Amino acid sequence: DWKVESNNAYVMANEVNDRVVHVEVKASVPESMTQRIPLNLSLVLDHSGSMSGAQMDDAREALITMLEALHPEDRVSVVAFSTRVQVLQVQDEWGDVKKAKLMEKLAELRPGGTTAMREALSAGLNQVRKRFDAGAINRVMLLSDGIPNDASQLVSLATGARQGNIAITTFGLGPYYNED
């Protein structure tokens, strides 16, 4: 099923105009054909000094939204970092996690310090490796403004993760996000 809507039903001839078109596509699959793949995630959150203000608020909100979408059988860990790396939640089934205590730890995080991204990414990968499951989605999700202290070993770390069948997804925050 699909639906297309334009922000304006009329277009002037021989004029250049910008139009917004909303396209909605819905596909349904019989429930008997759907099977959810379990998740084995490590959520890695930057709280260095450059993450102050809206960036930190947005990162924390995104991380909490991801946690709330998990199913009890999904495995998750949470790693926070600035100058040093803290494993706030070791890799465990979401149904077994003390959620209130984890939310308290997340609320206590304040921006400050430098950006030990390599060490944090390595800690997140180690958490996923502890509970690696070939039948699951094994992934590290990094939320950061992408300004590491030392980027020299990030590519080799990512290459090793890929060779070990662990994906890395990065979420760039703020106006100075370093995509490289």
Side-chain angles (χ1 to χ4, degrees):
D1 190 24
W2 59 284
K3 177 173 65 171
V4 178
E5 296 176 355
S6 174
N7 70 330
N8 191 334
Y10 302 100
V11 178
M12 296 294 293
N14 299 322
E15 282 190 25
V16 176
N17 295 292
D18 289 333
R19 294 288 176 243
V20 176
V21 179
H22 177 86
V23 179
E24 183 177 318
V25 179
K26 292 182 182 178
S28 59
V29 177
E31 192 158 326
S32 62
M33 295 179 68
T34 62
Q35 179 183 5
R36 185 177 177 281
I37 299 172
L39 302 175
N40 184 32
L41 300 176
S42 185
L43 304 174
V44 180
L45 177 64
D46 181 353
H47 70 99
S48 62
S50 60
M51 290 286 292
S52 62
Q55 288 170 201
M56 186 66 207
D57 296 337
D58 292 345
R60 191 183 343 255
E61 183 178 332
L63 190 136
I64 290 169
T65 299
M66 285 186 256
L67 289 170
E68 290 172 345
L70 294 175
H71 289 216
E73 67 277 5
D74 292 332
R75 291 181 298 276
V76 66
S77 60
V78 178
V79 176
F81 72 99
S82 61
T83 304
R84 65 184 190 91
V85 176
Q86 302 169 272
V87 177
L88 302 180
Q89 171 61 51
V90 297
Q91 202 75 9
D92 201 358
E93 280 76 16
W94 180 239
D96 295 337
V97 171
K98 293 181 176 27
K99 294 166 187 65
K101 186 155 182 71
L102 177 57
M103 295 304 164
E104 284 176 19
K105 290 178 183 178
L106 290 171
E108 291 171 0
L109 292 176
R110 298 289 175 260
T114 60
T115 311
M117 187 180 293
R118 183 191 58 79
E119 295 85 350
L121 193 54
S122 181
L125 287 166
N126 288 337
Q127 289 295 315
V128 171
R129 286 182 183 120
K130 285 181 185 178
R131 303 291 300 273
F132 183 86
D133 178 353
I137 294 173
N138 298 282
R139 181 176 307 266
V140 173
M141 300 178 93
L142 172 69
L143 293 89
S144 173
D145 59 4
I147 305 172
N149 296 342
D150 177 11
S152 64
Q153 296 177 17
L154 290 176
V155 172
S156 63
L157 200 58
T159 301
R162 182 179 58 226
Q163 290 169 346
N165 294 315
I166 299 172
I168 299 172
T169 300
T170 58
F171 294 90
L173 301 157
Y176 305 109
Y177 173 65
N178 180 349
E179 193 167 314
D180 294 331

